[in-house]
Amino acid sequence: NQISLYNLIIEPLWHLLQGKKTIYFSPDGLLNRLNLGAIAIDDEEILSDRFDVHLIGSSRQITQKTENNNYPNSAALIGGLAYNFSENDLASRGASNAGPWNYLKWTKKEVDEIGAYLKLEGFEQHVFSGQSAREKVLKKVLKDAPRSPRILHIATHGFFLNQNISDSTNVFAKIKNPMMRSGLIFSGGNDGWLGHALSADDDNVVTAAEIAELDLKNTELAVLSACETGLGDIINNQGVFGLQRAFKVAGSKYIIMSLWQVPDRETSVFMSSFYKNWLEGNMDIRTAFNKTQKQMRDRFFNPFQWAGFVLIE
């Protein structure tokens, strides 16, 4: 439980944290699967109530901070996808044990609400939903535009497959490359997931390996509003090989991603609240994210409903 995590991880360091306001956390091994800021100090407080917790990919980022104040005022929003080009049963944003991926009702509402906030701030928007949110459409927008959008928000199913799982329903489970065993599902992705797509380059299953080849250096924030997008193979001290590495390699400054299968409705509430805090509240991204987690904690006490999302810079 969370109290035991405090005793194991935080308590031995507590004397070093006295008088400090900020913690920079570059995890290794299984620590990559923890939301450090959500660890309970006691029955009322979590670590992020006491400290400003920064999750970073490498400790060298502390001394190599670079600022890009010239981000384009544009956004690409993806949600309400048709995985079979029809609306199926509802699901949470994670892998379906049956194989095919199901329609996510709340993702459409999520991108509509976010779009409304962005419109008030004068953002140029590209919105993809239903049958339009296919892999080739996304790649065309990201590759053909002069610069990647400032915000890339993807509300869909995500997956990470351990190599040792027994799953004969898709073509990704037994691939050795970990960057091919994690990814995002786009419209029409059920065919690609089951190995029925006409082309691997347009199977509507976008792997971490494919994302790493994109140019996102002008993207300030990539939001992966999907399940298990923060997971991947943990290789020695090289970090997590999966979507989080892919988006950092591609150049995104900040990434919001999840550590487990997040509920559809609560995710929609989280994301709408975050953008409202960030844009209407005139906050920086980290402050808005921390405030959103506190708001979600007050509304949904169970950490399962709010602590799965982490902000990586």
Side-chain angles (χ1 to χ4, degrees), residues 2-304:
Q2 293 193 63
I3 297 297
S4 67
L5 286 175
Y6 170 81
N7 294 333
L8 181 65
I9 300 171
I10 306 302
E11 190 174 40
L13 303 173
W14 193 249
H15 67 287
L16 298 174
L17 301 176
Q18 300 310 302
K20 307 298 190 295
K21 296 181 179 180
T22 305
I23 297 173
Y24 290 92
F25 176 51
S26 179
D28 191 19
L30 292 176
L31 293 177
N32 282 284
R33 297 181 180 175
L34 293 178
N35 183 345
L36 187 77
I39 292 178
I41 298 174
D42 51 37
D43 291 338
E44 296 184 357
E45 279 191 306
I46 61 176
L47 197 67
S48 60
D49 290 333
R50 295 273 189 101
F51 304 95
D52 185 10
V53 181
H54 291 241
L55 176 57
I56 56 178
S58 170
S59 57
R60 69 174 177 269
Q61 292 175 229
I62 299 174
T63 60
Q64 295 180 349
K65 283 188 172 294
T66 57
E67 295 296 330
N68 178 1
N69 297 317
N70 191 33
Y71 290 110
N73 215 32
S74 60
L77 308 177
I78 300 165
L81 281 61
Y83 305 103
N84 280 328
F85 295 142
S86 64
E87 296 187 358
N88 300 310
D89 296 335
L90 305 184
S92 64
R93 301 184 191 189
S96 166
N97 291 330
W101 304 90
N102 299 321
Y103 180 73
L104 296 168
K105 170 185 175 182
W106 290 92
T107 60
K108 183 63 169 65
K109 178 179 175 62
E110 180 179 317
V111 296
D112 286 346
E113 290 185 352
I114 292 168
Y117 294 134
L118 294 174
K119 183 178 181 180
L120 292 174
E121 298 298 320
F123 274 75
E124 176 189 355
Q125 298 179 48
H126 300 276
V127 182
F128 305 96
S129 60
Q131 298 183 19
S132 71
R134 303 193 64 163
E135 176 180 356
K136 63 182 180 181
V137 174
L138 171 72
K139 289 180 176 178
K140 180 176 177 60
V141 168
L142 295 179
K143 288 184 176 180
D144 290 357
R147 296 192 294 172
S148 63
R150 179 182 177 187
I151 298 170
L152 175 59
H153 186 101
I154 306 175
T156 185
H157 289 290
F159 69 92
F160 162 64
L161 301 172
N162 286 305
Q163 194 174 9
N164 60 356
I165 68 170
S166 176
D167 186 348
S168 60
T169 63
N170 70 81
V171 297
F172 299 93
K174 298 304 179 182
I175 298 175
K176 290 184 179 181
N177 182 355
M179 299 290 280
M180 295 288 289
R181 285 186 277 108
S182 61
L184 300 166
I185 310 297
F186 283 74
S187 294
N190 277 334
D191 282 344
W193 183 255
L194 297 174
H196 301 153
L198 297 177
S199 167
D201 294 330
D202 189 25
D203 58 7
N204 298 306
V205 179
V206 181
T207 66
E210 292 175 286
I211 290 167
E213 295 177 352
L214 299 175
D215 181 1
L216 300 180
K217 64 178 179 292
N218 288 297
T219 296
E220 182 179 18
L221 176 64
V223 180
L224 311 185
S225 184
C227 284
E228 302 180 336
T229 48
L231 302 185
D233 277 7
I234 300 171
I235 301 177
N236 297 326
N237 63 348
Q238 298 180 56
V240 178
F241 280 71
L243 284 168
Q244 76 169 261
R245 176 175 290 263
F247 276 88
K248 291 307 291 183
V249 169
S252 179
K253 181 178 180 180
Y254 290 100
I255 310 165
I256 294 178
M257 50 181 49
S258 64
L259 299 175
W260 54 72
Q261 293 191 16
V262 288
D264 189 22
R265 177 177 174 271
E266 286 86 340
T267 297
S268 178
V269 174
F270 185 103
M271 293 301 169
S272 295
S273 299
F274 164 73
Y275 280 94
K276 184 175 182 179
N277 288 331
W278 178 29
L279 299 173
E280 290 189 358
N282 196 29
M283 302 176 185
D284 60 56
I285 289 175
R286 177 159 298 283
T287 301
F289 182 84
N290 291 342
K291 180 175 181 179
T292 303
Q293 285 212 315
K294 290 178 181 179
Q295 291 172 332
M296 293 292 291
R297 197 172 103 218
D298 291 339
R299 182 171 179 178
F300 305 103
F301 183 75
N302 187 342
F304 172 74

